[in-house]
Amino acid sequence: MVQLDPHKLPVHLAVIMDGNGRWAQQRMLKRIVGHQRGAETVKMVVEQSSLLGIKYLTLFAFSSENWSRPMLEVRALMTLLKKYIRQETARMMRKNIRYNVIGNRSDLPPDVNETLDEAIRKTAGNDGMVLTLALSYGGRQELCRAAVRMAEDAASGTLSIGAITPELFGSYLDTGGLPDPDFLIRTSGEMRISNFLLWQLAYTELYFTETNWPDFTINELHKALVDFQSRQRRFGKTSDQILQRGDLSND
Ligand code: FPP
């Protein structure tokens, strides 16, 4: 197992869990089997992140664009999600993890929303890791929703246009109240952001691995985190400034 410095972990880890379909197809299995195996990897990453003391874990579980997949796959994914949340809520309570959801929840089937509401309500008092599931989520859609709400508030007089700053804008996003991710992992060899957290990833360190999500192991997670620990985060400053001031602020 690779050596991790417990004092230099990301506060917020975000993951694009990609490659379930390819994992299954390479084994002549149905794509949903890949998603089922992917759900096992989710359990491992949630457990490990919480054990390591990561405060925020955000998983891209279903994108706005995933609705255009074959209906059977969409249905199977919704069923899997519901099953995962129902099964895992007791563990979330034991591990002091709080559920959170970002994305356009009005697109989700009512039974999925009910399951999510129950899990969010039950875990609301937990003050350990915050597990955010991005569901029916798209970064551009989130930015548009925020812009609409800001326009509504400006029209009703509760928001003054001169008060709009990046911080205020951020508070209108689904992720309002969450810090920006420090580290993003994407599996399966694709090197793109795919409409995930477009605003929030401005200064995030990115990590890509060829491994498909169902094959992503604890050791790979640790390897990715060790890589994160070797990065120098400059937030637009010079290397010398960072070394002199030990200053990691985002201004
Ligand atoms: C991407 O693989 C993955 C998804 C679209 C869904 C992610 C879902 C899970 C990991 C399982 C259920 C989630 C939870 C939170 C329990 P892909 O299908 O795009 O793979 P491909 O690119 O190889 O086709």
Side-chain angles (χ1 to χ4, degrees):
M1 185 84 66
V2 279
Q3 271 306 309
L4 263 182
D5 178 349
H7 305 294
K8 279 179 74 183
L9 288 164
V11 173
H12 186 170
L13 169 65
V15 188
I16 301 180
M17 315 181 284
D18 198 10
N20 293 345
R22 272 162 289 166
W23 181 93
Q25 280 161 344
Q26 283 157 12
R27 288 161 180 78
M28 314 294 238
L29 298 167
K30 293 203 169 117
R31 291 176 57 85
I32 186 60
V33 181
H35 296 311
Q36 284 161 351
R37 285 294 292 263
E40 295 304 313
T41 310
V42 170
K43 288 183 197 165
M44 178 280 284
V45 169
V46 169
E47 166 131 27
Q48 279 298 307
S49 302
S50 148
L51 265 177
L52 288 167
I54 288 171
K55 279 295 295 173
Y56 301 89
L57 173 66
T58 299
L59 303 176
F60 202 4
F62 193 88
S63 74
S64 308
E65 292 73 24
N66 287 153
W67 292 113
S68 46
R69 291 198 173 192
M71 193 181 68
L72 279 178
E73 183 171 343
V74 170
R75 273 202 200 144
L77 270 168
M78 290 296 138
T79 305
L80 183 60
L81 192 70
K82 226 170 58 179
K83 191 171 143 207
Y84 171 88
I85 292 167
R86 285 208 180 125
Q87 277 179 356
E88 291 299 300
T89 301
R91 200 198 308 263
M92 299 300 157
M93 293 308 291
R94 285 200 298 280
K95 307 254 173 209
N96 195 23
I97 298 171
R98 178 158 67 86
Y99 272 119
N100 181 40
V101 175
I102 57 171
N104 190 358
R105 284 193 55 186
S106 58
D107 283 346
L108 295 171
D111 56 335
V112 173
N113 267 324
E114 279 160 29
T115 307
L116 288 169
D117 281 337
E118 198 184 333
I120 291 169
R121 186 183 50 74
K122 274 194 184 151
T123 61
N126 293 347
D127 60 2
M129 188 174 81
V130 177
L131 169 60
T132 300
L133 300 178
L135 293 171
S136 190
Y137 176 85
R140 288 183 172 176
Q141 291 83 343
E142 177 193 34
L143 287 162
C144 282
R145 282 197 304 276
V148 168
R149 284 179 45 222
M150 287 170 86
E152 284 167 355
D153 285 355
S156 70
T158 52
L159 170 66
S160 136
I161 291 185
I164 299 175
T165 58
E167 288 70 32
L168 187 108
F169 197 103
S171 73
Y172 274 83
L173 296 170
D174 297 357
T175 49
L178 302 180
D180 290 342
D182 302 290
F183 195 39
L184 171 81
I185 298 174
R186 180 172 188 154
T187 57
S188 91
E190 308 292 356
M191 298 215 233
R192 53 179 174 264
I193 297 303
S194 298
N195 205 14
F196 189 43
L197 300 176
L198 294 181
W199 172 279
Q200 300 87 338
L201 294 177
Y203 282 99
T204 303
E205 297 295 327
L206 309 179
Y207 181 91
F208 300 97
T209 168
E210 291 288 324
T211 307
N212 286 324
W213 181 248
D215 281 336
F216 192 72
T217 58
I218 296 184
N219 209 28
E220 286 233 37
L221 174 65
H222 285 213
K223 196 171 131 204
L225 292 170
V226 166
D227 190 299
F228 171 76
Q229 297 189 332
S230 72
R231 312 268 180 109
Q232 184 188 52
R233 306 190 69 200
R234 291 198 288 277
F235 299 104
K237 294 187 173 140
T238 68
S239 198
D240 284 349
Q241 283 175 304
I242 301 298
L243 292 172
Q244 276 162 26
R245 297 170 54 193
D247 184 353
L248 295 176
S249 68
N250 193 4
D251 55 19

